[in-house]
Each structure stands twice: as structure tokens, then as C-alpha cells.
Amino acid sequence: MPKFAANLTMLFTEVPFMDRFRFAKEAAFSYVEYLFPYDFKAEDIKSELDRCGLKQVLFNIPSGNWAQGDRGIAANPNRADEFRAGVHKALEYALVLGVKQLNCQPGKHVAGCSEADQWSALVGNVRYAAGMLQEKNTALLIEPLNPFDIPGVFISRTEQAIQLIEEVALPNVFLQYDVYHAQRVEGELAATMRKYQNLIRHIQIADNPGRHQPGTGEINYPFIFDEIDSLGYDGYIGLEYVPANGTRDSLSWVKEFGYTL
């Protein structure tokens, strides 16, 4: 049975962020994730998690200036100090919140930088981050993003992320497999999950087109969930979708597909 986590950056946006924990609990979630916690004190978020009886399972390392279009800076040779400071900040939050895996978005192609220089910077930064996290028994995840929604991303395909993981060569670096991004770039969802099942530590979902809830698009999610179960995956599945008709109504697919939260 999948362990579904409400992504509070995408779901329950009808209310302010700190109220979304309560809304998630009232909707019967036990697990939550979101992009970033840094606008709030870690202790305040932890208090809300405890009050609602929720477990947080994921958030992202600082990814640059999100409002100005950054989607990670690990592959930017000019921002290594900023990235590494962000790793320390993320780890401080993770220790308070009890989160044992952090997501790293590599970022975009940088004008004036060669592919080789960016790859070298990415490997060095990921190795640094993984080393820091390994000391605290925490995993580092690498997430490919699709270049249609986010033009210019440096890592867009699963095999690129796998190459990075293999080159970094540390035991706590894994793949975050986002089904929506993967469908937009390469398809072959079941085959890819089978091939890299030992490196997939976290899964996120949304349907395509539209990035709405399962059942609104072309992805056969009942089949995908059966495939995930057959692989023995025991991690979390983050609901990182844009509700097509309000969060509560968007959750009707869970029962329709025979699952519970």
C-alpha cells in the first residue's frame, strides 16, 4: 500500500502555509513534504507537525532565488559557496524536523559556462553535500526536471541523474523519481523504475498534461501504483500536483483507485 505524502507547496494552497498541516491531517494524511521551509522557523514547523501528528518526509536544499527563476544552483560553478552554505542550512532544519532525506535540484545551464565546467561543479557540490549529510545518516536525492515547464534545466533525464550518482560514488545519494517530469521527457515509466529500483529513494506524482491529480490525464496510475508495489518500494509517494478543482475534491482518486491515505 503506497504511503502518500501531501506536498504542501502544491496542495491546500487555499490557506496560508502554516495552516496546511492541519488541513492535511483533516484530509487523513499521515505524511507531508514541501519545497522549502526557510521562510519559517524550524521549531515552529516542528511544533505544527507534532500538534497534527504528521511526519515530514522531504524538502529541498536551498535552490537560489526561486522567484527570479532559479531551480537549483548545484551545477553553477560561480555559486559553489552559496550552495554549500545552503546545505548547512538545510541540514540544520532537517535535524530539527526529523527529515532523513533532502532533495537537490541541480539547476540550469549557465551562460558562458561550458558543459564540462558545469558537470565538474555539480559533481563536486553533490559530493560535498552528500558527505555532510552522510555524517547525519541523511540521504541526498537528485531530481531531473522537464525542460518544457522549466527551460534550460541541466539535468532532465533519468540516465543523467544516474550518471551523476555513479560518479559521486557515495552510498547516500539516490534518485528522486518524479513521474510527471519523467513522462514529459522520456516516458518508459515502468521500465525505468524497474531498471533503477535500487536507486529510487522517493517518488512524486502528477498527471500529464496539466500536472493535475491522477486520473486527469494520460498516465495509467493504477498500473503505475501496481508496478511500484511489485517492486517492493517502501518509500513515500509525494502528491506534487496542481489540484484541478480544489485540493479536497482532487483527492477523490485515492478512494476510486482503491487506496487510503
Side-chain angles (χ1 to χ4, degrees):
M1 179 68 70
K3 295 185 290 189
F4 294 119
N7 187 299
L8 301 184
T9 301
M10 308 286 275
L11 303 185
F12 305 108
T13 58
E14 303 89 343
V15 298
F17 178 76
M18 291 298 285
D19 292 333
R20 296 175 197 173
F21 297 91
R22 174 172 57 86
F23 273 58
K25 185 63 176 180
E26 290 174 352
F29 283 99
S30 296
Y31 312 105
V32 297
E33 63 177 43
Y34 45 73
L35 289 181
F36 305 109
Y38 310 111
D39 287 339
F40 305 89
K41 293 181 179 179
E43 293 77 11
D44 291 343
I45 298 175
K46 181 64 163 60
S47 294
E48 195 63 17
L49 288 166
D50 292 344
R51 189 180 72 83
C52 295
L54 293 168
K55 178 179 180 180
Q56 187 174 330
V57 302
L58 181 76
F59 64 90
N60 290 3
I61 289 171
S63 297
N65 191 323
W66 197 264
Q68 293 186 8
D70 285 338
R71 292 298 182 267
I73 56 174
N76 189 327
N78 305 316
R79 299 173 74 176
D81 289 345
E82 181 184 351
F83 173 80
R84 296 181 183 201
V87 173
H88 287 267
K89 185 174 185 178
L91 190 53
E92 290 174 0
Y93 272 78
L95 293 174
V96 174
L97 299 173
V99 176
K100 303 303 293 183
Q101 54 185 16
L102 298 176
N103 183 38
C104 174
Q105 295 178 326
K108 299 179 179 180
H109 290 275
V110 178
C113 289
S114 70
E115 190 93 2
D117 285 346
Q118 284 204 246
W119 183 263
S120 178
L122 180 59
V123 171
N125 281 330
V126 169
R127 189 172 286 144
Y128 176 86
M132 291 293 302
L133 270 56
Q134 189 175 21
E135 294 177 4
K136 302 298 182 181
N137 193 31
T138 299
L140 181 69
L141 311 184
I142 304 298
E143 181 186 16
L145 302 175
N146 84 77
F148 305 105
D149 291 354
I150 309 167
V153 290
F154 192 72
I155 298 290
S156 62
R157 304 185 66 86
T158 302
E159 289 190 353
Q160 291 175 291
I162 297 301
Q163 180 183 349
L164 174 62
I165 291 167
E166 291 176 347
E167 190 165 334
V168 169
L170 289 174
N172 64 323
V173 186
F174 296 93
L175 175 67
Q176 178 166 309
Y177 190 73
D178 187 304
V179 175
Y180 167 75
H181 288 301
Q183 175 69 0
R184 295 220 64 189
V185 175
E186 58 197 10
E188 287 294 306
L189 303 173
T192 301
M193 288 190 290
R194 284 196 297 270
K195 184 175 182 180
Y196 297 118
Q197 59 182 291
N198 292 333
L199 287 175
I200 295 174
R201 178 58 66 93
H202 190 73
I203 295 173
Q204 292 178 325
I205 62 170
D207 218 329
N208 183 60
R211 201 173 184 175
H212 300 310
Q213 64 265 27
T216 60
E218 66 188 356
I219 301 175
N220 185 348
Y221 267 108
F223 173 83
I224 292 296
F225 292 142
D226 286 346
E227 183 71 15
I228 290 170
D229 280 343
S230 74
L231 295 175
Y233 174 78
D234 62 355
Y236 303 96
I237 298 178
L239 308 188
E240 195 184 47
Y241 63 73
V242 179
N245 49 358
T247 300
R248 290 189 183 278
D249 288 343
S250 81
L251 294 169
S252 62
W253 65 268
V254 178
K255 184 177 181 180
E256 292 169 4
F257 289 2
Y259 296 109
T260 61
L261 295 175

